Amino acid sequence: MKIEILYPQCCNLFGDLSNIDYLRKCLPQAEFVETSLTDEPLFATEPVDMVYLGPMTERSQRMVLERLLPYRKRMWELIGGDTVFLFTGNALELAGEYIIQEDGSRLNCLEIFPLYAKQDMMHRHNSVFLGNFEGQPVMGFKSQFTTAYPLSENIGLFTVEKGMGLNKKCSFEGIRYRNFFGTYLVGPLLLLNPPFTKSLLKLLGAGNAPLAFEKEVQAAYEKRLDDFRKKV
């Protein structure tokens, strides 16, 4: 099994590379490949089982977008073939159509999914989120200068129970198509949500793999869920 981590030098805000650290513990036999900004992505020439891209600064978004644009067609082929993609934080915006920047100009993105984002660099949104994924609660944190606006209701990832979706009026958070998952939730997502992580492992063909520190992460998940339901 090969898991590619894109641009970890700059796509590493909010401790979200801990998603990968946790996967390494869950899948010790897997091969993890870190692709730098100066490298061609492994997925461009070889089959991979999963591609991960974490949150980044707005300046880094431009650099990452430039690196990924030549591989847009290849990404779409892999998504259609059910390769697992996990984009966290503002990485999800790059898979959309465009970002409306602070000055009103548009930054055209990969145009894989029907949504756009809008920046508000003077107002950072910080909140906690509680939602649902395939009948299981999902929790996380949001810290972002942008909100996203889906142009389709058929790409939602998590239904909202408490907190904000992709924007304040949206009934869902994140985007999903086949095995592509994009979410603003940080925290990191996989450590905070063992049921979701189990679903991801199943998609990777490792449904029988035990979660690392399963007893501890499950107990923390249940305690956090109780707190979120009381306080959020």
Side-chain angles (χ1 to χ4, degrees), residues 146-189:
T146 44
T147 48
Y149 298 85
L151 304 175
S152 169
E153 295 294 316
N154 299 321
I155 58 171
L157 174 55
F158 306 131
T159 56
V160 177
E161 183 175 331
K162 293 183 178 181
M164 185 178 80
L166 285 174
N167 59 69
K168 291 182 179 180
K169 296 182 178 180
C170 189
S171 62
F172 59 85
E173 204 291 322
I175 57 175
R176 179 183 185 181
Y177 176 74
R178 301 180 76 93
N179 291 343
F180 181 99
F181 302 89
T183 175
Y184 276 121
L185 298 188
V186 296
L189 178 70

